[in-house]
């Protein structure tokens, strides 16, 4: 697993707790959805991993306790996570947002625009797609047409600014 | 009863050009007449494997086996789809000559 | 017509450059075929039976002469001298090489065209009425809305990896020439309670394996809410549409499984929750787009002299008279007509045009149609603004290139998908079937006697030829290695949309023209004066046709 954000490769700061593994005493932990109750009761700095069939509204009550959310992408072609990410942001989640799974460099711009901060990709993808590709692909398109999108200028707003 | 083995050739599309190609002794060719014919299941497995390797090497896309008849000497696919594909174009006169003729 | 500003131009240029890089990375092995495939599809590149295929977007079917000439140039330089106009108002080239595609995209960009999202599991080219801005009864030009949707849906970060393709169509007229009821989302411009135009939104239409007619999602949506409402509708689909089965992944299945009430409830909840103002297009932007679609200035004509001249020529040239009658339609400006250029010569491949024909259409449009062309859902071309006094000249120019077939809406104006002659997914041929049927009904007088009749042919269950909504639909399947054709009757793609009914067991390839002839003869024998095929079928039902087809089987 490799972590890449908009600056390039970074360290993984979020130890993922496997099924049946005990929660650590202190520090950070990335837990599965089914351990959320237990994790909330702990004093840990929490990350939560969500499967792609998650209803974003269900997570909203816990935003205050979550420093990080990881959204699962079972394959790069399964785009439910884009809506989950954008929906979490629109609902006010301000923590770190990660896309986990075999997403590809060509999707990095879309992920950032949907509010993700980083990707966690399998070694196999990282081997073929060097960090330079992630960075260059994320900058391939300067302006998009949509409005209300994270971190990217909107052509519609640019036009308006020009006419003002 | 196991299906009787029918002779087969391996086909794919050329990655860069897109044309249908067939695996021959000398590599990938456009003309099915030059294709290598597998006459046993083991030979067919080997041929397909060569196709899969070529795909991994980014030469061709989507290799698969095609059953052929050998009555005329050269391999002729048994399925209509594969015959049309091996012909390299539509079954009717197409453009511009075909369109001009109809018009 | 819409013109790119510097932002549109930069966007398309960057996208083309990006694809050039993607091709390089694919050839270098950085991208696997599985990863590259959705990327190339989103740039219109398919791998078909014989070769790659490039589908180019013609947004809402509107083209300028210089754009049509560029298509001709591409056909000659990088393809085999022709192109194929599709039922979604696009054009496809059947023989490009992958290595040439970035150059083709550059050439397109130079005339403000692209191939973005003409395929793939994303929001596709938004289609519209070929008579947009021309039809006398229209409430508002639907292309303003379609262009807004084109921009909003281009590389939408949230909706570029949907469960399946997503098609939107817009009509501004009550009479639906855009087939909105068989689209994932269909939009009809209607007048609201206060008389201001807004939208009626339909959802969940589509053909394929499980055909559905769209259901009403919202009776009236204020215009300003369009984009937020679409985002809400797409988000509910993207989150909840099925991902486990490709054939159940379209929104029509979600709407069917949830029920329209529940789907609508979720969309309305999402729409109510979201920051609509942050997503909506600013009013200035809508006005900016609208200005491009103002009716072009059409010189005032001496309409009486024009009409007299046209009548005189029609009296001398019966073929011109027939074409005038069949292939021209009313225009909102008196003295003008909208001309349909048929791409259905008897025995030809429906929707195909040579580079030379494209150039002739471009020239005629430049001189006689205010520089505008339209591609229709029926795979024909429309010259929307032809002065009545120029009709004879236009007809003669078209005739010189074999573009004067007077069969719009008649039995030989057949829609056919590429089928087994080109398509990797096909189970049977469809173009040669269309050719055989057209040859059988070649006689012009007989065609006119039969009257309006749409035959639609698909080469597999994916239904790209829209057979379910043909008055007569033909579906080619594979039956133990033999092509077999199922016939449906009574389909309709307009505002009175309906799915056709199967007649019974299928027929062999050679039987099809005879079968169609028996259906038509049955109709002729039983119709009441002035009754169309569709009306007659709706009155008579299947029984007499079944009898005619299977009695001696
Ligand atoms: S209907 Fe089937 S055969 Fe025809 S173009 Fe579509 S996928 Fe191909």
């Amino acid at each position: 697993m490799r972590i890449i954000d908009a600056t390039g490769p970074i360290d993984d700061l979020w130890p993922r707790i496997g099924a049946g593994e005990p929660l650590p005493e202190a520090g950070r932990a990335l837990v599965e959805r089914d351990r959320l109750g237990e994790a909330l009761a702990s004093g840990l700095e929490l990350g939560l991993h969500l499967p792609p069939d998650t209803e974003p509204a269900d997570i909203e009550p816990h935003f205050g306790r979550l420093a990080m959310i990881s959204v699962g992408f079972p394959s790069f072609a399964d785009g439910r996570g884009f809506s989950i990410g954008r929906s979490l942001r629109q609902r006010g989640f301000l923590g770190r947002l990660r896309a986990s799974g075999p997403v590809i460099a060509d999707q990095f711009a879309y992920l950032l625009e949907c509010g993700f901060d980083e990707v966690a990709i399998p070694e196999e993808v990282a081997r073929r797609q060097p960090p330079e590709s992630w960075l260059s692909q994320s900058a391939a398109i300067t302006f998009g047409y949509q409005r209300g999108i994270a971190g990217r200028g909107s052509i519609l707003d640019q036009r308006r600014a020009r006419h003002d | 009863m196991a299906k009787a083995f029918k002779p087969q050739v391996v086909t794919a599309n050329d990655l860069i050009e897109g044309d249908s190609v067939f695996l021959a002794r000398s590599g990938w060719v456009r003309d099915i007449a030059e294709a290598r014919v597998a006459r046993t299941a083991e030979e067919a497995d080997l041929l397909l494997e060569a196709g899969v390797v070529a795909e991994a090497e980014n030469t061709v896309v989507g290799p698969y086996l095609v059953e052929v008849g050998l009555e005329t000497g050269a391999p002729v696919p048994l399925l209509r789809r594969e015959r049309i594909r091996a012909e390299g174009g539509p079954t009717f006169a197409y453009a511009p000559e075909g369109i001009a003729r109809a018009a | 017509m819409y013109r790119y500003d510097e932002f549109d131009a930069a966007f398309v240029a960057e996208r083309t450059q990006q694809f050039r890089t993607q091709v390089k990375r694919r050839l270098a092995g950085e991208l696997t075929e599985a990863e590259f495939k959705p990327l190339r599809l989103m740039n219109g590149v398919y791998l078909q039976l014989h070769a790659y295929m490039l589908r180019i977007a013609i947004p809402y079917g509107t083209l300028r002469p210089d754009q049509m000439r560029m298509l001709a140039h591409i056909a000659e330089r990088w393809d085999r001298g022709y192109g194929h106009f599709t039922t979604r108002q696009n054009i496809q080239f059947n023989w490009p090489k992958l290595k040439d595609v970035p150059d083709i995209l550059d050439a397109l960009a130079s005339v403000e065209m692209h191939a973005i999202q003409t395929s793939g599991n994303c929001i596709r080219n938004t289609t519209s009425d070929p008579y947009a801005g021309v039809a006398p009864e229209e409430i508002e030009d639907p292309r303003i809305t379609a262009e807004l949707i084109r921009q909003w849906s281009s590389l939408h970060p949230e909706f570029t990896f949907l469960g399946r393709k997503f098609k939107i169509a817009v009509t501004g007229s009550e009479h639906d020439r855009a087939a909105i009821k068989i689209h994932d989302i269909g939009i009809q411009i209607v007048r609201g309670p206060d008389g201001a135009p807004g939208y009626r939104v339909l959802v969940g239409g589509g053909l394929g394996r499980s055909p559905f007619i769209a259901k009403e999602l919202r009776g009236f949506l204020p215009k300003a809410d369009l984009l937020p409402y679409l985002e809400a509708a797409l988000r509910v689909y993207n989150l909840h549409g099925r991902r486990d089965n490709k054939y159940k992944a379209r929104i029509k299945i979600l709407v069917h499984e949830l029920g329209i009430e529940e789907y609508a409830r979720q969309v309305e909840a999402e729409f109510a929750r979201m920051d609509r103002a942050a997503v909506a297009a600013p009013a200035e932007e809508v006005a900016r787009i609208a200005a491009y679609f103002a009716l072009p200035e059409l010189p005032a004509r001496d309409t009486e002299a024009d009409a007299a001249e046209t009548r005189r020529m029609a009296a001398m040239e019966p073929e011109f008279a027939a074409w005038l009658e069949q292939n021209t339609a009313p225009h909102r400006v008196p003295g003008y007509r909208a001309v349909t250029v048929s791409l259905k010569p008897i025995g030809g491949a429906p929707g195909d045009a040579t580079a030379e024909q494209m150039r002739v259409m471009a020239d005629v449009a430049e001189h006689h149609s205010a520089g505008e062309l339209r591609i229709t859902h029926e795979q024909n071309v429309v010259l929307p603004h032809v002065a009545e006094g120029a009709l004879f000249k236009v007809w003669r120019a078209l005739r010189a290139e074999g573009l004067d077939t007077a069969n719009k809406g008649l039995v030989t104006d057949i829609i056919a998908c590429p089928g087994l002659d080109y398509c990797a997914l096909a189970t049977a041929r469809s173009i040669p079937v269309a050719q055989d049927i057209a040859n059988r009904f070649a006689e012009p007088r007989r065609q006119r006697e039969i009257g309006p009749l749409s035959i639609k042919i698909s080469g597999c269950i994916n239904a790209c030829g829209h057979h379910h909504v043909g008055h007569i639909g033909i579906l080619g399947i594979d039956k133990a290695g033999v092509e077999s054709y199922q016939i449906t009757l009574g389909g309709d793609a307009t505002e009175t949309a309906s799915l056709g009914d199967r007649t019974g067991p299928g027929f062999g390839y050679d039987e099809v023209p005879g079968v169609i002839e028996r259906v038509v003869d049955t109709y002729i024998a039983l119709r009441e004066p002035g009754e169309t095929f569709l009306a007659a079928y709706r009155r008579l039902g299947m029984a007499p046709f079944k009898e005619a087809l299977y009695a001696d089987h």
Side-chain angles (χ1 to χ4, degrees), chain C residues 213-481:
Chain C
I213 301 293
K215 301 166 185 80
E216 187 174 287
L217 179 59
R218 191 48 121 84
F220 184 79
L221 181 75
K223 279 179 72 177
D225 287 335
L226 178 70
L227 299 184
Y229 198 77
L230 289 177
E231 288 212 355
L234 265 292
R235 179 167 304 147
V236 172
Y237 164 59
N238 195 33
L239 285 171
H240 301 301
R242 287 180 60 171
R243 297 268 175 175
D244 58 332
N245 179 341
K246 173 173 171 212
Y247 299 110
K248 300 201 161 150
R250 294 285 290 270
I251 195 173
K252 62 189 175 183
I253 303 293
L254 178 69
V255 171
H256 178 67
E257 288 182 351
L258 286 180
I260 182 68
E261 296 78 19
E262 174 57 19
Y263 173 75
R265 191 193 63 73
Q266 294 188 15
V267 171
E268 295 293 340
E270 186 66 26
F271 177 67
R273 188 196 60 74
M274 71 200 289
D275 182 356
R276 297 182 290 280
V279 170
E284 303 94 299
E285 177 62 8
V286 180
R288 187 189 73 90
I289 293 174
Y292 285 112
F293 294 101
L295 190 67
E297 221 162 289
L298 300 174
R301 310 265 314 189
D302 181 343
T303 51
E304 260 168 47
D306 273 7
E309 171 66 7
T310 302
R311 271 198 306 275
R312 195 175 67 82
M313 297 319 295
M316 278 165 45
E317 283 273 10
E319 290 187 47
F320 171 62
W323 178 84
L324 199 59
E325 165 77 21
Q326 205 57 47
N327 286 34
T328 72
H331 195 286
R332 67 169 55 159
V333 177
Y336 284 82
R337 306 279 293 173
V339 165
T340 295
V341 182
S342 168
L343 298 182
K344 316 289 177 66
I346 303 303
D352 278 9
T354 64
E356 213 31 58
Q357 289 177 327
M358 292 180 210
R359 288 201 185 94
V360 166
M361 289 187 274
D363 290 348
V364 174
E366 185 157 286
H367 295 117
H368 301 292
S369 180
E372 235 184 285
L373 301 126
R374 311 280 178 83
I375 310 306
T376 78
H377 160 65
E378 286 82 15
Q379 304 178 281
N380 291 317
V381 174
V382 164
L383 303 167
H385 313 290
V386 181
E388 236 177 286
L391 286 169
F392 186 70
K393 241 185 176 167
V394 165
W395 176 73
R396 268 215 319 234
L398 295 173
R399 190 175 171 81
E401 275 300 321
L403 291 166
D404 62 324
T405 315
N407 61 351
K408 183 192 171 254
L410 298 180
V411 56
T412 56
D413 187 3
I414 299 171
I415 287 185
C417 80
L420 194 54
D421 287 284
Y422 291 104
C423 176
L425 303 172
T427 43
R429 286 171 290 169
S430 49
I431 294 171
V433 173
Q435 293 173 327
D436 290 350
I437 295 171
N439 282 324
R440 181 72 65 112
F441 290 97
E443 225 284 297
R445 220 190 35 217
R446 186 177 181 202
Q447 293 182 44
R448 286 199 296 278
E449 209 175 278
I450 297 166
L453 178 55
S454 84
I455 298 182
K456 305 190 181 198
I457 311 176
S458 303
C460 82
I461 190 73
N462 287 334
C464 305
H466 298 179
H467 62 275
H468 297 106
V469 289
H471 300 160
I472 299 178
I474 303 176
L475 165 64
I477 58 170
D478 176 86
K479 233 174 154 184

Side-chain angles (χ1 to χ4, degrees), chain C residues 63-77:
Chain C
L63 267 183
R64 300 192 307 256
D66 62 316
Q67 294 174 321
M68 184 67 116
R69 287 190 193 107
M70 179 56 81
L71 296 176
H73 171 70
I74 290 170
E76 283 174 344
R77 166 109 195 253

Side-chain angles (χ1 to χ4, degrees), chain A residues 128 133 142 145 147 159 162, chain C residues 8 14 30 35 280 285:
Chain A
R128 280 185 289 109
S133 285
T142 314
Y145 287 103
R147 299 182 71 230
R159 281 178 181 144
R162 187 186 50 187
Chain C
D8 298 305
E14 284 181 336
E30 185 185 324
E35 289 166 340
E285 177 62 8

